[in-house]
Amino acid sequence: MSTPLERMADFDLTEDQRAVRAAVREFAEKEILPHVEAHEREARYPTELIQKLVPLGYFAPMVPEEYGGSFIDTMSYGLICEELARVDWVVASVVSVGNSLLAKSILRFGSDAQKDRWLPAIARGEILSSACLTEPGGGTDLGNMQSTATRVEGGWRLNGTKVFISHAAHAGLFFVVASIDRERKHKGVTAFLVDPKTTEGIQIGEFPMRTLQRDNLAEVHFQDAFVPDDGLLGEPGGGFPVLGAALEMGRFSVAMRCIGQAQRCLDLAIPYAMEREAFGKKIGEFQMIQKMIADMVARTEQARAVAYRLGRMLDADVGRASLESSLAKLVASEAATQNALDAVQVHGGYGLSAEYEVGRLVLEAKALEFGEGTSELHRKLIAEFALGVRKQ
Ligand SMILES: Cc1cc2nc3c(=O)[nH]c(=O)nc-3n(C[C@H](O)[C@H](O)[C@H](O)COP(=O)(O)OP(=O)(O)OC[C@H]3O[C@@H](n4cnc5c(N)ncnc54)[C@H](O)[C@@H]3O)c2cc1C
């Protein structure tokens, strides 16, 4: 029998979607969660855990069966992201980047040859994917990117540096954006599919962070890296529409990951509040602790309301959902960060001790406020829609 909170979270899901959530949660808690702290301490990338997703169909749920994937509805895919993120940022990110940014973009904009080349390999779990968008000069103003793609016989030469690139050292496929004409700003931006293992002129370097030590981020240098014509995704100068569609889907999966993290904070804070005592009472009996718990529930459910609706809209194929994806990403990512801060507060000083998981979640949640667009970018986009100066 489900608790009132579980009933609320699951209320408007179908039976199948509830079953997906339950199965992924059981798997994630049993197979992934016990290893995450050790991976973080040892700065180890969770390669073996990622491979466990493949036979269960959690690795490539957006890849159609004709390419060997385990295709399911978008909402269920979001639930996979939510439940994986509830236990591990990195494993959830692999699924989110590989499906939302790469597989979906190839399905939407790729040629038949590109689909045949990449999608079966993604589906079999043979290759992980990275999206190379952000540059040292900035990640928000992508229309002003410095990386260039120069036309040469039979293809393009890429030059430039990308930073903060998740999974880059482990990936077998890069989604890269570069400009074919920097004067044309966003109209010069062009998307490419690049094989980092066989392309000469790509160097992958370390990108040290204060969080996510699990060997996750890298910087990527392109020095006259040759990409053949069949690596072009979409049209020359047509990278922005490709990016827009990819990021919309990416914002959905990141929002769902944020909900997973927000939920995890609640799952950790509630038992602690019911166990820890001060002044002869359980701290959960103090109203100020109860306020934090209530706010955490409210934020998590607000995030579910907007993100689940977005998932259903994407399943209904309503066309572009830029406003809704910005809203979901904004609300869910800020909920995750605030829940992590509150969960630490409930734990008192132990919240920051190595003994408890909750302190790690603060920076991991904060990191989700940056990927797929910052809160400021999303507020800007939402305001522009509200003011009528942006139509899509
Ligand atoms: C853990 C992690 C993983 C990541 N993974 C990837 C990845 O796999 N691939 C990838 O390409 N990138 C990745 N990123 C990078 C991320 O996408 C960027 O950090 C993000 O897009 C912001 O870019 P920036 O950090 O250069 O900030 P900037 O663009 O320099 O912005 C700095 C500040 O100014 C604000 N700002 C900018 N423009 C405006 C405006 N018009 N109005 C108001 N405020 C504004 C921003 O919101 C921000 O607060 C990752 C980042 C992190 C932290």
Side-chain angles (χ1 to χ4, degrees):
M1 186 126 142
S2 58
T3 66
L5 288 187
E6 287 164 348
R7 189 189 62 199
M8 182 166 54
D10 284 357
F11 176 69
D12 40 12
L13 301 179
T14 64
E15 277 303 314
D16 285 351
Q17 289 163 348
R18 284 178 210 187
V20 168
R21 185 209 284 293
V24 184
R25 180 169 294 195
E26 192 187 337
F27 160 78
E29 285 187 348
K30 197 160 142 234
E31 302 287 343
I32 300 180
L33 185 60
H35 306 285
V36 179
E37 287 287 326
H39 284 164
E40 185 66 4
R41 268 195 315 277
E42 294 159 18
R44 191 145 61 87
Y45 192 74
T47 305
E48 313 82 53
L49 300 186
I50 293 164
Q51 284 309 314
K52 289 188 177 181
L53 304 175
V54 180
L56 297 170
Y58 304 152
F59 185 81
M62 288 284 94
V63 177
E65 284 171 7
E66 62 183 293
Y67 295 104
S70 53
F71 188 77
I72 46 170
D73 59 286
T74 310
M75 188 63 228
S76 298
Y77 160 57
L79 292 170
I80 294 175
C81 294
E82 179 184 329
E83 291 303 326
L84 293 177
R86 190 169 153 272
V87 302
D88 188 2
W89 198 107
V90 176
V91 172
S93 170
V94 166
V95 174
S96 174
V97 173
N99 287 274
S100 290
L101 302 184
L102 269 295
K104 277 299 249 187
S105 299
I106 295 170
L107 281 163
R108 273 203 187 104
F109 297 97
S111 63
D112 286 345
Q114 287 170 330
K115 289 176 192 165
D116 290 340
R117 174 169 181 197
W118 296 113
L119 294 177
I122 294 176
R124 288 193 296 268
E126 286 166 11
I127 51 171
L128 307 189
S129 308
S130 284
C132 303
L133 317 178
T134 306
E135 303 191 342
T140 307
D141 185 7
L142 285 176
N144 195 30
M145 69 179 54
Q146 311 286 309
S147 300
T148 56
T150 311
R151 191 86 180 102
V152 292
E153 169 112 27
W156 305 81
R157 292 245 174 236
L158 301 187
N159 281 286
T161 296
K162 302 287 181 176
V163 288
F164 290 102
I165 307 307
S166 301
H167 320 295
H170 310 274
L173 173 60
F174 282 177
F175 172 81
V176 184
V177 281
S179 178
I180 56 169
D181 181 355
R182 294 201 49 243
E183 297 280 300
R184 287 168 60 199
K185 297 284 182 188
H186 64 279
K187 292 198 169 140
V189 172
T190 303
F192 298 91
L193 296 172
V194 179
D195 181 344
K197 306 274 188 221
T198 59
T199 306
E200 282 181 24
I202 296 181
Q203 278 181 340
I204 298 172
E206 290 195 0
F207 195 74
M209 296 285 285
R210 297 246 177 246
T211 178
L212 292 165
Q213 303 299 322
R214 313 202 267 291
D215 189 23
N216 182 46
L217 295 189
E219 65 178 35
V220 180
H221 304 276
F222 296 91
Q223 271 179 327
D224 279 334
F226 177 72
V227 182
D229 278 329
D230 62 12
L232 181 70
L233 184 63
E235 299 297 317
F240 243 64
V242 179
L243 257 182
L247 288 176
E248 214 165 273
M249 193 65 190
R251 285 164 189 163
F252 168 65
S253 49
V254 171
M256 296 298 287
R257 287 163 59 193
C258 294
I259 293 168
Q261 289 214 205
Q263 181 65 51
R264 181 75 184 152
C265 294
L266 256 173
D267 296 345
L268 294 170
I270 289 170
Y272 195 85
M274 294 311 289
E275 189 188 306
R276 181 79 175 170
E277 292 188 0
F279 299 93
K281 285 181 170 180
K282 308 276 183 217
I283 61 168
E285 293 177 52
F286 297 125
Q287 286 186 350
M288 280 187 268
I289 299 288
Q290 290 178 355
K291 178 186 181 298
M292 282 191 271
I293 301 285
D295 287 348
M296 289 167 76
V297 171
R299 280 183 217 111
T300 310
E301 292 310 320
Q302 281 162 2
R304 280 204 173 97
V306 286
Y308 286 22
R309 182 180 58 195
L310 171 62
R312 284 190 283 268
M313 287 177 73
L314 295 171
D315 273 327
D317 216 1
V318 292
R320 294 295 301 267
S322 316
L323 168 62
E324 294 84 353
S325 63
S326 278
L327 198 59
K329 167 67 181 30
L330 174 69
V331 170
S333 62
E334 295 196 345
T337 302
Q338 195 54 51
N339 275 18
L341 288 170
D342 282 355
V344 166
Q345 197 67 26
V346 169
H347 281 71
Y350 289 100
L352 295 182
S353 78
E355 194 185 334
Y356 288 86
E357 171 190 341
V358 70
R360 175 169 57 75
L361 300 182
V362 174
L363 287 184
E364 293 191 6
K366 188 70 191 169
L368 289 170
E369 282 186 45
F370 299 113
E372 325 278 331
T374 63
S375 291
E376 289 74 25
L377 175 73
H378 292 303
R379 284 198 165 84
K380 171 179 163 336
L381 294 173
I382 293 164
E384 287 172 359
F385 277 111
L387 295 167
V389 293
R390 177 178 287 273
K391 302 292 177 209
Q392 70 157 22

